[in-house]
Amino acid sequence: MDIDKMGGAKIYAKYLAHMRQSYLLTPFSNKHKLASDYYSVDGVANWGHNIFHYCRKNILEDIINSKRLRFSDVRFLNDTTEFKEAVRMLRIAVERKKSSMDKELYDILTDKDVLREIESYFQRYPFNPPINKNRGIDSVKPVCNIYTCSFSMDGDLRPMWNYYVQEKDGVSINFTELKDHMKTTEKVKIVWEKAWYTDEDKSQCVEALLEDVIILFSEIPDKKCRKEMVQDVLVNVINNMRIFIKHKDFKTEEEYRAALIVPEEIINNNELPVGYRQGTFKRKNTVIPCIDIPFDLESITNIIINPDGDFDSIKTDLRDWLQKQNLGHIKIWKSNIPMRKY
């Protein structure tokens, strides 16, 4: 693409801004208008500062011994609707705006090849394409793989205890400022976002993107550039958005998710950042690719013991073990949820 044909540097800058923008903040921004809302107790500025990971006690010990958190290949998530919700909402939003949309734009947004690419597991990596000496764009778009690690914004939820920690030695690990303690590189990124569940919230994310795409389309003079740039933004943003848009049945998780985005060539060439450990693990009969990422153990501040276990016994064992690991700063708490009656 030639920068002059696309409308000049100003349009190119807008195109890049759309590629980088997190439209996932739209539902919050629509409901909370003041800047101070971002710094409220449950505001965006505090998302991720205080998150929880539910697991069994032996997994907690593995995390502490290895000083790593496991990110699993997204193709093997428990939720069969993963990666589908954002595409479903996109189709609905485009059809809703069809009557007021230019036919050329409608055809661009409903191109079967582009929709197929969005639905594919393999994604373009969201590099910012540089301008070359001929005033064109060298679009470097390598294929990337995605691995995720799930957290919750609430560390004491009955549905989470029931689903993720069915054993009585289950725990909820409280991480503080974890995002600041996980290293990335220029090409290997970790994206952190809150998950959205209701159709209203999900549609707000997608429609905010479409509104910007419609304006961008109208400002690009060259037909070929219009198609390529609009589809670039669409694929890039929906690929990112779909990682954090989930089915409404999972609302009880209150998930705050970390997504590791890695160009495939980095994995194939064994060029992951220092301390990253690539491997696999088994879930029943399925072998799942994973990458374990180092973090600072000081990020763990509290551990909640599940409501159905023997609190005193688990606390004593866990406290003694943590002392031996020089982690006496970690506090151990009992769940506030009543024990189940069997």
Side-chain angles (χ1 to χ4, degrees), residues 242-255:
R242 67 181 183 162
I243 304 170
F244 304 99
I245 285 183
K246 302 191 66 174
H247 193 276
K248 61 183 179 182
D249 289 350
F250 295 88
K251 175 71 174 67
T252 53
E253 296 177 354
E254 291 297 334
E255 184 172 350

Side-chain angles (χ1 to χ4, degrees), residues 19-175:
M19 298 272 274
R20 290 192 295 262
Q21 184 171 334
S22 176
Y23 291 92
L24 289 159
L25 293 180
T26 305
F28 182 89
S29 299
N30 286 346
K31 296 171 186 174
H32 305 273
K33 305 299 184 182
L34 301 176
S36 59
D37 291 328
Y38 278 72
Y39 299 94
S40 62
V41 174
D42 59 347
V44 172
N46 293 311
W47 292 354
H49 288 258
N50 190 41
I51 53 178
F52 301 84
H53 184 70
Y54 290 79
C55 63
R56 293 181 60 178
K57 182 170 170 283
N58 67 307
I59 300 298
L60 164 67
E61 292 171 354
D62 287 344
I63 289 171
I64 288 176
N65 284 328
S66 68
K67 300 180 182 178
R68 290 178 173 87
L69 279 169
R70 174 153 294 172
F71 283 64
S72 303
D73 191 309
V74 293
R75 288 174 292 182
F76 300 91
L77 292 168
N78 292 330
D79 177 7
T80 58
T81 68
E82 292 278 12
F83 271 30
K84 299 177 182 178
E85 280 294 290
V87 180
R88 180 177 74 87
M89 299 307 300
L90 172 64
R91 292 179 185 274
I92 292 171
V94 170
E95 292 304 318
R96 185 183 295 133
K97 292 181 177 292
K98 180 179 179 180
S99 60
S100 59
M101 189 183 296
D102 187 290
K103 184 181 184 303
E104 180 189 345
L105 176 59
Y106 177 80
D107 291 341
I108 291 172
L109 297 176
T110 56
D111 183 281
K112 290 182 179 179
D113 289 338
V114 172
L115 290 176
R116 195 176 297 116
E117 180 179 355
I118 294 174
E119 290 172 339
S120 167
Y121 160 69
F122 295 102
Q123 299 187 11
R124 301 179 190 179
Y125 187 82
F127 287 132
N128 291 333
I131 301 174
N132 60 33
K133 63 181 180 181
N134 297 319
R135 292 177 63 76
I137 293 179
D138 295 326
S139 296
V140 183
K141 298 168 187 169
V143 169
C144 68
N145 293 8
I146 299 174
Y147 300 78
T148 67
C149 187
S150 295
F151 302 88
S152 177
M153 297 174 76
D154 190 324
D156 196 15
L157 294 170
R158 169 53 80 183
M160 296 292 281
W161 290 124
N162 292 350
Y163 186 76
Y164 287 101
V165 192
Q166 296 178 11
E167 300 295 329
K168 292 185 179 180
D169 65 347
V171 298
S172 170
I173 311 169
N174 184 196
F175 294 93

Side-chain angles (χ1 to χ4, degrees), residues 68 71 145 147 183-190 260-279 290-294:
R68 290 178 173 87
F71 283 64
N145 293 8
Y147 300 78
K183 295 181 179 179
T184 59
T185 64
E186 181 182 354
K187 292 185 178 180
V188 177
K189 306 291 186 183
I190 299 177
L260 172 68
I261 303 178
V262 189
E264 196 172 52
E265 61 187 28
I266 297 290
I267 294 175
N268 294 340
N269 296 334
N270 295 315
E271 296 175 347
L272 287 167
V274 174
Y276 280 47
R277 190 167 64 193
Q278 185 179 358
C290 63
I291 295 177
D292 295 343
I293 301 180

